[in-house]
Amino acid sequence: RTRREGAVLAVLVFDTAIVVAQAGQTGLNQMYVQIANRIQRQVGAVNVVGRYYEGCFVTLVETLHSSSWMRTLGLRVASNLRQPIDVVALNGEVLRVKADIGVGVVHLRSDDANVDTLLHNAERMAQAARGQARVDAADAVAQVCLEIAA
């Protein structure tokens, strides 16, 4: 890792059972591929997007241009991912689904960046949010992001 400051961007996908009911597991996998492609277009080719576990995508943004750019990046990614996604259902019909997502961006300073701890906290947050309603899940995402940043 270089001395430049970066960020970790995490995208959590909630309520995947709805997509599975409409389009099956294949449709869910198609949605995941399209989500990863959309994230990749927003963060750039040099910042690799990976699926950390089922429904969680993580990318390490190597260079931040400014602190306001980090907020803009999160909003751009969230806006792009909330657009409808076309998937093919089990019967061959093309369906439009919307992913229920949460986006978090954490600033990594060069002096105290510990990505392993960050990913562990993100996993803990996602596990806590899985059984909650959508509004409660968003609150849980925000709470853990604040804990990580502190």
Side-chain angles (χ1 to χ4, degrees):
R1 194 166 131 74
T2 64
R3 289 282 177 202
R4 294 176 291 189
E5 293 184 0
V8 171
L9 179 117
V11 175
L12 299 174
V13 182
F14 300 103
D15 296 334
T16 57
I18 296 170
V19 177
V20 172
Q22 293 176 344
Q25 188 64 39
T26 304
L28 180 63
N29 289 338
Q30 290 174 12
M31 184 180 81
Y32 284 158
V33 168
Q34 290 187 41
I35 286 173
N37 288 336
R38 288 181 182 191
I39 296 169
Q40 188 72 65
R41 280 195 305 263
Q42 294 299 320
V43 298
V46 296
N47 300 311
V48 179
V49 176
R51 196 161 118 192
Y52 186 52
Y53 59 87
E54 184 75 18
C56 178
F57 298 87
V58 175
T59 186
L60 179 64
V61 180
E62 287 288 333
T63 303
L64 287 178
H65 302 290
S66 68
S67 58
S68 62
W69 184 83
M70 185 172 65
R71 181 175 181 271
T72 303
L73 174 67
L75 291 173
R76 268 194 353 239
V77 169
S79 173
N80 191 289
L81 294 180
R82 288 195 173 105
Q83 300 300 317
I85 298 171
D86 292 333
V87 297
V88 179
L90 296 175
N91 62 2
E93 178 183 344
V94 176
L95 297 176
R96 278 208 151 162
V97 296
K98 281 193 173 185
D100 186 12
I101 57 125
V103 176
V105 183
V106 177
H107 187 192
L108 295 178
R109 290 175 173 69
S110 58
D111 55 348
D112 63 353
N114 187 344
V115 176
D116 291 334
T117 302
L118 178 69
L119 294 177
H120 173 73
N121 289 341
E123 182 177 5
R124 184 173 50 93
M125 168 197 59
Q127 289 172 349
R130 293 254 182 242
Q132 300 174 2
R134 183 177 9 192
V135 174
D136 293 339
D139 290 342
V141 170
Q143 181 62 35
V144 173
C145 284
L146 288 174
E147 289 175 15
I148 292 169

